[in-house]
Amino acid sequence: MDNEEYYRMLDISNRRVRENNYSTKRFLLDKIDWRDRLICIFGSRGCGKTTMLLQHIRSEFKNDPEKALYVSLDNLWFGTHSLAELADIHYMNGGTHIFLDEVHYLKDWQIIIKNLYDNYPKLKIVYTGSSLLRIDFESGDLSRRQITYNLPGLSFREYLYFEDIIETKALSLTELIKDHKTIAEDITPDNTVLKHFTDYLLRGYYPFYKEVFAGYEQRISQITNQILESDYPAVENINYSTIQKIKKMLFILAQSCPQTPKMTELYSQLETDRNQGLKMLYILDRANLLNILSSKKATLKNMARPDKIYCDNPNIMYSLTENINVGTKRETFFLNQLKSAGHDVLYPDKGDFIVDRKYLFEVGGKDKSFNQIKDIPDSFLAIDDVEIGRENKIPLWMFGLLY
């Protein structure tokens, strides 16, 4: 590769950075320590990974743009060129940072990134990938070299910020439990928070809601197809028939959430066996399309029949089914926000969710009672349709303030 081709790629990179006009920033942008030599950012499509990279480059390299190179690895250019060549010439021309988007489209990406890390000690590497790549993050040479971050969709707190309604700091779960009444009283007087919460549950989890209007649910459906038809085959060698079965599984389960169907009947309907069926279920969970709730943390090795299966977030519910049950929507929101904030959420013997193996929650409407969990320590109600709670009754919307 000659300098002319390199500068063409650099021009494309600089144009992408210049034309990124987003001013609103995701929470993760300021949490990442960009000084680290190897940074991985994974997450589902549509959550803003690319925008965040471009925002960082624009901010940090505005006075020296040629130091940083942004490339998307799904670019057809890589059909006849190698990343190793591009990184080498960037380094030789004084480049100090390379930002690699959609790394799962690069064959043998782990080996190539490891070699770049080892061969160019002064080059800092940031790459993004599908949430499906977490399967590979659990072991391997890169796990000892890189710092890994997860970017989920928007929290309700971020949505309020994106809508220029209110800017408030993220809460710890401990702070929320202890001071929820005071915090709610500070937020709600000048804000119709329940109306905004309803809007968020319908269309507010994915940042691109700001770009599309009537086509929002269609865009989610397109992303779902991209994940299963493009991202998954890029991660694992699978055939068309398996992809179609996974799509069918997703649709069937979305109609019955959160009740778990008889799994043997489901596998029969999909014309697959238990092992393959569990693997497909696990992939949908990893792809952030479904949320599997079990009495112990689910992995492919120990997964059995799940206790409950939810859509990943309420926005996906609306894109996959017309039969939206309000109770299911509430539970879906609660599970999504707690897990996205990094909490361990399991299925308890009583109640709806056990969080961090300590806090027991029951989710419901404003008339929900403590009858099921009244004698259990550290038990709480997450109550919808109320702005301000009291004692162990916490407004459901406030669990969207955790990240």
Side-chain angles (χ1 to χ4, degrees):
M1 185 176 71
D2 57 26
N3 273 336
E4 184 177 344
E5 281 197 272
Y6 164 67
Y7 284 117
R8 185 157 59 244
M9 293 298 288
L10 190 60
D11 286 343
I12 292 172
S13 170
N14 290 337
R15 183 166 64 248
R16 289 291 303 272
V17 172
R18 285 195 309 271
E19 294 180 358
N20 172 55
N21 296 319
Y22 287 93
S23 58
T24 312
K25 298 177 182 178
R26 294 297 315 275
F27 79 98
L28 191 60
L29 185 65
D30 294 328
K31 283 184 171 290
I32 294 174
D33 191 332
W34 298 96
R35 297 173 298 178
D36 284 308
R37 275 196 60 207
L38 182 58
I39 296 171
C40 164
I41 305 166
F42 68 88
S44 182
R45 276 187 177 271
C47 289
K49 300 186 297 297
T50 299
T51 297
M52 189 170 66
L53 289 189
L54 298 175
Q55 285 177 326
H56 172 70
I57 297 169
R58 185 173 183 173
S59 172
E60 296 300 316
F61 298 92
K62 57 186 175 183
N63 295 324
D64 207 352
E66 295 191 354
K67 294 286 187 182
L69 177 65
Y70 165 87
V71 291
S72 180
L73 293 168
D74 63 353
N75 192 320
L76 292 175
W77 188 86
F78 288 102
T80 55
H81 300 81
S82 75
L83 175 60
E85 287 180 285
L86 182 61
D88 182 71
I89 198 168
H90 179 56
Y91 192 77
M92 297 302 291
N93 279 275
T96 58
H97 294 70
I98 189 165
F99 296 84
L100 310 173
D101 212 359
E102 307 281 12
V103 74
H104 48 282
Y105 285 106
L106 180 66
K107 185 179 180 181
D108 299 324
W109 63 272
Q110 294 190 74
I111 296 172
I112 293 171
I113 289 179
K114 175 185 176 297
N115 288 339
L116 293 181
Y117 180 90
D118 292 341
N119 295 338
Y120 303 95
K122 293 184 179 180
L123 181 66
K124 293 187 177 181
I125 304 164
V126 181
Y127 71 92
T128 75
S130 165
S131 55
L132 289 165
L133 290 180
R134 280 183 286 173
I135 298 168
D136 296 317
F137 291 159
E138 294 170 359
S139 61
D141 291 332
L142 285 183
S143 63
R144 297 190 294 271
R145 291 169 166 82
Q146 70 187 8
I147 303 299
T148 302
Y149 298 89
N150 176 37
L151 183 65
L154 293 177
S155 65
F156 181 50
R157 182 189 72 86
E158 288 185 288
Y159 173 80
L160 293 172
Y161 167 57
F162 271 46
E163 288 294 288
D164 199 27
I165 295 164
I166 188 171
E167 183 175 355
T168 183
K169 74 179 185 72
L171 303 174
S172 69
L173 183 58
T174 303
E175 287 176 309
L176 176 60
I177 288 171
K178 181 181 178 182
D179 298 323
H180 65 87
K181 187 173 185 293
T182 301
I183 295 167
E185 287 171 342
D186 289 340
I187 292 175
T188 55
D190 300 319
N191 298 285
T192 53
V193 69
L194 293 182
K195 177 189 178 301
H196 298 309
F197 185 52
T198 298
D199 294 341
Y200 166 81
L201 295 178
L202 179 62
R203 44 172 298 132
Y205 184 71
Y206 297 98
F208 59 76
Y209 83 89
K210 302 283 284 185
E211 303 171 352
V212 295
F213 300 94
Y216 181 70
E217 291 176 17
Q218 183 180 355
R219 178 79 175 271
I220 295 176
S221 296
Q222 291 170 348
I223 284 178
T224 300
N225 282 328
Q226 282 182 300
I227 291 170
L228 297 179
E229 294 177 357
S230 300
D231 295 352
Y232 184 32
V235 173
E236 192 167 322
N237 184 23
I238 58 170
N239 56 39
Y240 177 78
S241 174
T242 301
I243 294 172
Q244 294 307 111
K245 288 179 181 179
I246 293 177
K247 284 186 177 182
K248 187 175 181 180
M249 173 182 275
L250 175 62
F251 181 78
I252 291 171
L253 292 175
Q255 308 306 307
S256 63
C257 289
Q259 293 79 21
T260 303
K262 295 180 179 179
M263 302 306 287
T264 53
E265 292 182 7
L266 175 62
Y267 301 150
S268 176
Q269 190 174 356
L270 296 171
E271 297 180 343
T272 192
D273 59 26
R274 178 181 180 276
N275 289 338
Q276 184 66 18
L278 285 176
K279 185 175 182 181
M280 291 192 296
L281 188 61
Y282 187 67
I283 286 297
L284 289 170
D285 179 70
R286 285 295 201 185
N288 295 330
L289 296 173
L290 292 180
N291 236 332
I292 296 172
L293 185 67
S294 299
S295 56
K296 59 182 178 180
K297 189 173 182 179
T299 67
L300 188 54
K301 291 181 179 179
N302 71 14
M303 185 183 289
R305 184 179 184 274
D307 292 288
K308 282 189 176 182
I309 299 173
Y310 294 87
C311 288
D312 179 75
N313 61 79
N315 289 189
I316 284 185
M317 287 180 65
Y318 280 103
S319 73
L320 291 176
T321 179
E322 296 178 357
N323 303 315
I324 304 298
N325 176 276
V326 64
T328 301
K329 180 169 62 175
R330 292 164 177 160
E331 293 178 22
T332 299
F333 165 78
F334 181 92
L335 178 60
N336 169 269
Q337 296 288 280
L338 268 292
K339 289 184 71 172
S340 294
H343 292 280
D344 184 26
V345 185
L346 299 175
Y347 184 73
D349 294 331
K350 293 183 177 181
D352 292 322
F353 305 100
I354 184 77
V355 179
D356 298 334
R357 302 180 187 272
K358 178 179 180 181
Y359 302 111
L360 182 66
F361 289 94
E362 184 85 12
V363 179
K366 60 183 177 182
D367 296 325
K368 187 77 174 179
S369 74
F370 262 107
N371 290 344
Q372 281 188 283
I373 56 175
K374 61 181 180 179
D375 297 323
I376 301 175
D378 293 316
S379 60
F380 304 87
L381 296 183
I383 302 299
D384 198 10
D385 300 321
V386 296
E387 288 188 340
I388 300 172
R390 55 183 172 81
E391 299 176 346
N392 283 23
K393 292 186 176 183
I394 304 173
L396 179 63
W397 66 266
M398 297 193 73
F399 290 92
L401 305 179
L402 296 176
Y403 72 91

